Amino acid sequence: MRLALSCSRFFLTLATAYVLLTALLWYAPGRDLDESLWGTAQTLANEPGARTFSSYFEFTRWYASELVHGRGGTSIQFGVPVSELIAERASTTLTNAWRGFAAAWVMALTAGVAAHFWPGIGRLALGAGSVVLSLPAAFVVVALALNGVAPWVGLAVCVWPKTYAYWQTLLQMARKRAHVLALLAQGAGPWRLQWHAIWLPNTRQLFGLLAVSVPLVLGALIPVEVLCDQHGLGQLAWRAVAGRDLPLLTALTLLFTAVTSGMSLLAETAGLEAK
Amino acid sequence: MRPILLLATLASLAAAELRFSIRSDPKTLEPLAVTDQNSDTVRFLTTARLVRRNRITQKLEAELAEKWEIRDKGLTLVFRLRPGLRYSDGTVADSQDVKTTIQRLLDPAKAYPMSEGLRAAGITSVETPGPLEVRIRTKEPIAGLDSFFEEVPVLSSRSPLGDKAALGPFVLTEYKRGTSLRFQKNPNYFRKPLPRLDAVRIDIQANPELERARFERGELHFLSALDADGFAALQKTGQTQDAGPTLDSEILWFNQNPGAPIPEHKKKWFTSREFRCALSAALHREDLVRVAYGGRAVPGVGPVAPSAKEWFAPKLRAQPYDAKQTQTLLTRAGFQLRNGLLLDSSGNPVTFSLLTNSTSRVRQRMAAMIQQDLDKIGIKIQVVLLDMPSLLERMTRSSNYDAVLLGMVGIDLDPNDQMNIWMSTSSSHAWNPSQKQPATPWEAEIDQVLRAQFHATSPAKRRQFMQRFQEIVADQAPVLYLVHPNALAAVSRQLTGVKVSSLLPRVIWNIEEVGLAPAETAR
Amino acid sequence: MRILGLLHTRCLPFSRGHMKNLASMVLSGVVLLLVAGPVVSRHDYAAQDRDLILSSPGSEHWLGTDSLGRDNFARFVVGGRLSVVMAATAAGGACAVAAFVGTIGALGGSAARTATAIVFDVMLSTPWYLLVFVIRAVLPLDTSAGVTAAVTFGILGFIGWAHGARAIRDAVLGMVTGPWIRQARATGAAGFTLWRAHIVPNVGPVLVTQFLLLLPTLMLGEATLGMLGLGIPEPLPSWGGSLVELVQTNTVLERPWALVPALLLAISSISLRALAGGESS
């Protein structure tokens, strides 16, 4: 029952996002116009293989049939199937996101554990984190990229303070629990405390945090990929918007929304929302 | 030399790969369908033409054609091909390929960008008396017919690879959409010795700042589209080159479309010659050059940039700032200044919006400067930044705008390059596109003069017509020419044989002469 | 960001009370500077001195001039006013919406809860930069730069409300099911009284926290848009706009004073977050 409810909510989310964004893009100025043709003798020539639509309704019907057949339509700008474009670009995004994400976690957890033993490190980490959070993420990443730092490092730098802060909250909550206090009273060593009192009872929350971090990374992806010239899905989405590429943007939106709302459902299941 | 260094040197010698970048994907890889600069760059590397313009002397030179001549008082153009031409896959290239390429362009069922011009030339027949000779006959004499063929790539009619069989110095071997293009040297390239570069890699790099950072780190070998800021930032590296003013121009025009959904009184201003000329004289073009371009540009004169030495009307000068002239013209057209606001004869305050694209920082600076200049004569303007599709929607479809600030790219030196903008019937006739009948007597005269130069028999005659054309534009100012930017490039010390030109493609036009020294020796 | 709301638990390496005092002092200083700046500055933010571009700080131009010869100090102060006032307005509006939707989500039964959850998911997962593109494109052309700026912040506020709404929903939900509301119900409080006496006063601090968190987020959001070419239009200055110039290589080394807006943006942002942290405790 609960699963069915979650699934229906998931699909409702997808449908809402789809309708909102495609309608917006449909009524946006500049549809079917190609900027590179300005000043040339040609008027508008779409890429072969792409098709245009006379009404929003017609587009929606066509797109639904494409989805039923397991395709995503053909990109107007690139003239190739959307699925092909996404497959081409996904690896860049996945690599960046995965590395950034992993690095952020390693940084956050290391700082977390270190702070347990040396509180000074915790303060330092918090200070550094709040400075990073107080600058636009895009600015931090670009400033790093201009100095030859890989974008995933920038992504990690931008994401870790939030992960760290969250981790700290978990730890503090754990410290107040009765069994931890009991352990402390028994004079348990720091390692035992860490493992038994904090890690083990919090695995579910950690899992939830994992789920929550994914949308966090996804959210930072568009500006990071656009400004750092990373040829991934975020940049593709930006180009889809700039070129009013309806089929492409629709597919990407559905993908992003699916990932985010899927993760948010996961996080809820992990009990993170109850916090 | 230590062995490791030697090895490194050998490795880099073994694969002399030239790396540079373009801002976005080529729109097409089909050589005949090219409309944009990026596709043109790819076409330039992979195809060869009958003739090629030397980007330094601005003269046509032999490429696939050993020689060419114009006979029968301009009615016949004869090309004599080099012997032994072969495509990258080994198939023979001969006059038959030239003929089929031209026929493909003339095919009424196809609308290639070059077709319109070729059809207008009225080609009646293409004959191939032998494998090395092509004769092209036209109905009427066409003076610039040979320069048409500077754009036309010769494509194979027999190769199983079709258009992918390369006759140019390089062969496209890999294309990762949105990421990079890779090319290998064409072993059958007709110029001997073969190009010194073994391979070319073009990265797609949209962000100019990152592009510059990569150049500084040695990851890219040259930058051919630097703006003034980028040029200034790289100047201390000693690797920048200013090749002088380009054919490009930054322009401002007013909406003169009678059907535009803007107030009638605005249309009245915009169609008034006095109004346009008065505003033109109110702008400080030297300031635009100095401040927005860091001095790396020249004040805008007209549709033919002064750098197009052969066609520029030498008597013309850029409109200087002239407060008195502005005043006289505005008064004559019934405008008057009241409480610091300029009012037209019916008492409407003169305010309008100026559209420009949101991605160009230099243009935004210019817009802010124009805003201040016009504020001094009592005109308040709103600068509106839009992304390109929204801008085009307003320019080409709804016609719902007052004035636009944009750039114009001069592709070709030949005056025929002007026709798609200036003929009143053209859809790119920006201020009032696709007219059935010329809306004004001066537009009718421009149509007539441009047609006349197209069919003129001698270069001298064409020059005369082109001068008249430039005079009309200067007199009527339908488009305010603001600046002609310089061609700014940065070229790595590793590269040899580069001759940066103000004409496109600026750096790779003589790529077969370009060499790449190993990084160690270049330092 | 979803877990922003959790950040306030520990924000800076000092004790909470000190932190809050320090933050208030810094913010008062910033506000004072922004209020008094235009009075003491002798220059118009839009006036171009084309013979004096990119000049260094001096007695005439305290922070030097920009690439069009405009006084950096005047631009910095006016830009700061604009960023702060507009971001505050937008954040206020967003918080109001968030309070409304969040409360509905918490109290409106399971259907309303699912509906709001869907709305949150959509809001938090779609590339809303598109909205900025589209709305900027359909604005009438004679829209003044000020209105365009206001609309840009409005959109940012619209994008930002969902973050707050989620936190508020959770807070209200926690309260409604919490012990003291149960106790209040048991003692006979219901309807309006229950609301006025028990829920509103307790949601208040959550709202203030959300506002204090949203304010810097919006200011930073404007800067990000500026870097993507969709920021506050010329000739209006903004703090975000001044960051764009910074990104160019060499700027920081050659003209370190160009860093001032970025520094102030960061300091204000840190202080606001610190205040938010204090508020929630």
Side-chain angles (χ1 to χ4, degrees):
Chain A
M1 181 59 204
R2 209 172 145 201
L3 186 75
L5 212 72
S6 295
C7 281
S8 57
R9 193 182 125 190
F10 177 71
F11 284 110
L12 261 172
T13 308
L14 280 191
T16 320
Y18 167 83
V19 170
L20 276 177
L21 268 168
T22 53
L24 197 63
L25 200 64
W26 181 265
Y27 293 105
R31 188 160 41 84
D32 295 345
L33 277 172
D34 182 345
E35 59 182 279
S36 70
L37 296 180
W38 145 245
T40 63
Q42 282 222 324
T43 46
L44 177 81
N46 269 317
E47 288 290 332
R51 56 171 289 190
T52 51
F53 305 91
S54 54
S55 73
Y56 177 61
F57 181 68
E58 192 195 329
F59 169 76
T60 307
R61 210 173 45 190
W62 169 79
Y63 203 83
S65 82
E66 284 280 305
L67 281 182
V68 168
H69 290 95
R71 296 186 298 257
T74 305
S75 156
I76 293 173
Q77 289 180 84
F78 297 95
V80 289
V82 167
S83 50
E84 203 176 295
L85 274 176
I86 292 182
E88 267 175 28
R89 301 289 193 108
S91 70
T92 310
T93 299
L94 283 177
T95 318
N96 274 337
W98 153 244
R99 284 186 187 162
F101 179 77
W105 264 65
V106 169
M107 281 158 81
L109 294 188
T110 317
V113 171
H116 186 88
F117 297 109
W118 304 282
I121 290 189
R123 295 210 184 117
L124 205 70
L126 274 172
S130 56
V131 169
V132 171
L133 281 179
S134 304
L135 287 168
F139 177 76
V140 175
V141 176
V142 171
L144 288 173
L146 281 177
N147 291 299
V149 177
W152 64 265
V153 179
L155 208 62
V157 167
C158 291
V159 170
W160 83 268
K162 290 175 184 174
T163 318
Y164 177 67
Y166 192 80
W167 179 229
Q168 285 298 306
T169 314
L170 278 185
L171 289 186
Q172 277 182 348
M173 275 159 54
R175 278 203 193 96
K176 284 180 196 142
R177 292 214 180 117
H179 68 282
V180 181
L181 293 175
L183 272 177
L184 273 176
Q186 285 168 18
W191 283 111
R192 210 175 136 215
L193 203 65
Q194 279 281 333
W195 181 247
H196 282 281
I198 296 164
W199 285 83
L200 280 185
N202 277 327
T203 40
R204 226 161 85 116
Q205 272 83 349
L206 273 182
F207 181 63
L209 177 56
L210 207 74
V212 159
S213 314
V214 170
L216 209 66
V217 173
L218 266 188
L221 216 57
I222 290 191
V224 167
E225 288 197 347
V226 170
L227 292 166
C228 295
D229 281 344
Q230 290 290 299
H231 309 290
L233 296 176
Q235 192 200 41
L236 199 62
W238 179 255
R239 295 204 43 194
V241 173
R244 309 286 190 267
D245 196 335
L246 209 52
L248 182 56
L249 191 81
T250 312
L252 286 171
T253 308
L254 289 179
L255 189 70
F256 285 163
T257 315
V259 173
T260 332
S261 61
M263 285 298 164
S264 126
L265 279 176
L266 260 181
E268 268 174 46
T269 326
L272 214 71
E273 287 274 308
K275 192 253 141 199
Chain B
M1 199 181 268
R2 276 174 294 174
I4 286 183
L5 263 185
L6 183 70
L7 275 178
T9 316
L10 282 178
S12 54
L13 274 180
E17 185 186 59
L18 177 75
R19 291 187 304 268
F20 64 100
S21 65
I22 52 181
R23 294 276 154 80
S24 58
D25 279 283
K27 288 293 296 177
T28 176
L29 295 177
E30 228 185 297
L32 295 183
V34 170
T35 53
D36 62 304
Q37 267 182 52
N38 297 327
S39 309
D40 199 36
T41 303
V42 174
R43 178 169 73 176
F44 205 89
L45 291 174
T46 55
T47 66
R49 297 130 294 257
L50 289 164
V51 288
R52 179 173 82 181
R53 192 175 297 281
N54 182 314
R55 263 55 176 187
I56 301 297
T57 63
Q58 302 192 355
K59 297 267 183 278
L60 284 185
E61 287 176 351
E63 188 156 285
L64 294 177
E66 214 167 31
K67 58 183 181 197
W68 73 102
E69 57 183 330
I70 295 168
R71 292 185 196 155
D72 307 335
K73 292 180 186 150
L75 287 173
T76 311
L77 177 62
V78 182
F79 287 106
R80 174 114 200 132
L81 301 186
R82 289 170 197 259
L85 293 175
R86 273 174 197 284
Y87 291 94
S88 52
D89 62 345
T91 44
V92 174
D94 62 15
S95 57
Q96 188 56 38
D97 293 346
V98 180
K99 183 176 175 176
T100 46
T101 307
I102 297 173
Q103 278 168 343
R104 279 171 70 186
L105 285 171
L106 290 175
D107 181 354
K110 293 274 162 65
Y112 291 118
M114 281 175 286
S115 302
E116 208 180 326
L118 267 189
R119 265 183 232 135
I123 293 176
T124 50
S125 71
V126 182
E127 294 157 21
T128 51
L132 297 183
E133 192 170 318
V134 186
R135 283 187 196 162
I136 299 160
R137 293 184 200 279
T138 57
K139 247 191 311 213
E140 287 173 81
I142 306 294
L145 192 61
D146 48 356
S147 26
F148 264 117
F149 290 94
E150 164 201 17
E151 292 278 307
V152 179
V154 174
L155 299 174
S156 175
S157 55
R158 282 164 296 222
S159 164
L161 293 178
D163 290 354
K164 289 196 182 107
L167 202 50
F170 293 91
V171 188
L172 179 66
T173 50
E174 184 190 79
Y175 174 31
K176 281 195 200 149
R177 238 184 315 269
T179 310
S180 65
L181 297 115
R182 279 169 180 276
F183 303 83
Q184 286 293 328
K185 173 151 61 180
N186 173 5
N188 298 332
Y189 186 53
F190 65 91
R191 274 185 221 269
K192 299 288 179 310
L194 287 176
R196 289 194 272 161
L197 297 166
D198 298 307
V200 173
R201 178 195 161 106
I202 307 181
D203 285 339
I204 291 153
Q205 189 90 54
N207 183 336
E209 266 101 40
L210 279 185
E211 190 186 47
R212 209 165 67 216
R214 289 190 64 196
F215 173 78
E216 285 185 282
R217 290 199 295 270
E219 292 169 26
L220 298 175
H221 291 123
F222 69 83
L223 306 176
S224 60
L226 273 180
D227 63 5
D229 291 345
F231 189 85
L234 286 176
Q235 222 165 357
K236 64 176 184 308
T237 67
Q239 298 180 104
T240 49
Q241 288 191 39
D242 181 346
T246 55
L247 303 178
D248 304 351
S249 39
E250 290 294 315
I251 55 177
L252 186 160
W253 75 86
F254 303 101
N255 188 355
Q256 297 194 45
N257 188 343
I262 56 173
E264 283 307 315
H265 62 267
K266 282 192 178 176
K267 286 185 201 167
K268 228 165 110 190
W269 311 333
F270 298 154
T271 48
S272 148
R273 185 190 90 90
E274 281 81 10
F275 177 81
R276 297 190 304 258
C277 291
L279 263 60
S280 183
L283 301 178
H284 287 87
R285 285 178 174 74
E286 331 71 58
D287 283 0
L288 295 178
V289 167
R290 196 166 46 85
V291 176
Y293 283 89
R296 306 257 164 213
V298 292
V301 186
V304 179
S307 49
K309 296 163 200 153
E310 206 180 339
W311 307 107
F312 178 66
K315 270 182 284 176
L316 289 182
R317 294 280 174 274
Q319 169 71 50
Y321 169 74
D322 188 341
K324 223 168 159 188
Q325 192 185 346
T326 303
Q327 201 48 53
T328 322
L329 285 166
L330 286 177
T331 317
R332 199 193 301 161
F335 292 90
Q336 47 182 322
L337 199 64
R338 203 169 292 160
N339 300 331
L341 277 181
L342 192 72
L343 305 180
D344 68 5
S345 50
S346 335
N348 299 303
V350 182
T351 66
F352 59 86
S353 58
L354 178 64
L355 287 189
T356 189
N357 62 325
S358 54
T359 43
S360 165
R361 206 175 300 159
V362 173
R363 229 164 260 155
Q364 286 172 35
R365 261 182 230 162
M366 286 209 287
M369 295 174 75
I370 292 168
Q371 198 172 32
Q372 172 158 321
D373 282 349
L374 294 184
D375 191 63
K376 293 221 170 92
I377 58 167
I379 299 179
K380 302 270 176 244
I381 68 170
Q382 287 311 333
V383 175
V384 181
L385 304 180
L386 291 179
D387 66 316
M388 214 47 186
S390 313
L391 190 64
L392 282 173
E393 167 95 19
R394 288 188 182 268
M395 270 165 52
T396 58
R397 282 204 192 138
S398 64
S399 218
N400 186 2
Y401 69 93
D402 296 335
V404 171
L405 171 68
L406 265 187
M408 193 71 102
V409 179
I411 308 271
D412 190 11
L413 262 183
D414 195 273
N416 293 335
D417 195 37
Q418 305 281 350
M419 292 180 79
N420 68 39
I421 302 292
W422 286 95
M423 296 300 282
S424 61
T425 47
S426 163
S427 58
S428 307
H429 191 70
W431 59 95
N432 184 6
S434 310
Q435 303 171 22
K436 300 243 156 47
Q437 292 291 321
T440 56
W442 55 267
E443 282 174 286
E445 196 187 346
I446 289 179
D447 285 359
Q448 188 199 334
V449 169
L450 284 180
R451 242 179 259 127
Q453 71 78 26
F454 188 73
H455 290 297
T457 42
S458 74
K461 274 247 173 64
R462 286 185 88 194
R463 266 198 292 278
Q464 266 179 17
F465 287 123
M466 285 311 286
Q467 292 208 4
R468 178 68 199 133
F469 160 68
Q470 293 170 64
E471 282 162 19
I472 304 169
V473 175
D475 182 53
Q476 291 293 336
V479 173
L480 310 189
Y481 283 83
L482 304 173
V483 296
H484 302 294
N486 286 7
L488 304 178
V491 179
S492 157
R493 272 187 213 96
Q494 276 180 271
L495 292 188
T496 55
V498 170
K499 294 174 191 156
V500 180
S501 157
S502 61
L503 304 179
L504 294 170
R506 297 192 171 125
V507 178
I508 55 157
W509 71 271
N510 63 337
I511 191 153
E512 74 283 350
E513 292 170 17
V514 174
L516 186 66
E520 282 80 12
T521 54
R523 274 201 193 124
Chain C
M1 301 288 116
R2 201 163 298 179
I3 46 179
L4 260 187
L6 297 161
L7 258 183
H8 47 70
T9 42
R10 270 178 81 186
C11 203
L12 268 187
F14 304 102
S15 83
R16 219 167 259 161
H18 283 157
M19 211 40 239
K20 206 178 156 185
N21 289 344
L22 189 69
S24 313
M25 268 159 60
V26 168
L27 285 175
S28 316
V30 172
V31 170
L32 192 72
L33 182 69
L34 296 185
V35 171
V39 184
V40 292
S41 163
R42 281 165 293 175
H43 296 278
D44 176 24
Y45 71 85
Q48 302 163 4
D49 182 351
R50 294 175 187 171
D51 293 321
L52 201 68
I53 57 172
L54 296 177
S55 69
S56 310
S59 57
E60 183 64 24
H61 297 284
W62 300 336
L63 281 178
T65 55
D66 72 356
S67 55
L68 287 176
R70 299 177 293 200
D71 182 55
N72 274 338
F73 181 75
R75 289 187 73 70
F76 157 68
V77 173
V78 174
R81 278 181 162 194
L82 195 113
S83 295
V84 170
V85 170
M86 289 203 174
T89 315
C95 281
V97 176
F100 183 70
V101 180
T103 315
I104 289 182
L107 303 177
S110 72
R113 207 168 300 168
T114 314
T116 43
I118 290 177
V119 173
F120 294 158
D121 276 348
V122 172
M123 290 301 302
L124 297 175
S125 62
T126 38
W128 286 112
Y129 293 102
L130 165 68
L131 197 67
V132 186
F133 261 111
V134 173
I135 293 185
R136 288 280 286 264
V138 294
L139 282 181
L141 291 183
D142 50 5
T143 311
S144 69
V147 175
T148 311
V151 168
T152 307
F153 272 106
I155 300 169
L156 284 172
F158 173 76
I159 300 170
W161 70 264
H163 297 294
R166 206 181 256 271
I168 288 163
R169 183 194 63 180
D170 294 347
V172 173
L173 211 58
M175 260 174 252
V176 172
T177 52
W180 77 88
I181 298 283
R182 268 189 227 146
Q183 195 190 345
R185 277 214 173 105
T187 53
F192 186 68
T193 320
L194 186 76
W195 266 96
R196 205 203 45 192
H198 296 282
I199 297 185
V200 174
N202 284 310
V203 174
V206 182
L207 261 181
V208 173
T209 307
Q210 287 307 318
F211 175 80
L212 290 176
L213 287 173
L214 201 53
L215 191 59
T217 309
L218 294 189
M219 284 158 64
L220 298 182
E222 188 268 323
T224 305
L225 282 182
M227 295 186 69
L228 292 167
L230 293 167
I232 303 297
E234 287 275 353
L236 278 185
S238 77
W239 283 1
S242 56
L243 285 188
V244 180
E245 270 195 47
L246 267 188
V247 168
Q248 292 172 264
T249 29
N250 308 331
T251 312
V252 180
L253 296 178
E254 283 166 17
R255 285 176 279 127
W257 52 92
L259 271 173
V260 172
L263 277 181
L264 230 72
L265 179 64
I267 290 174
S268 317
S269 175
I270 293 174
S271 307
L272 283 167
R273 281 179 211 281
L275 266 193
E279 201 58 51
S280 76
S281 67

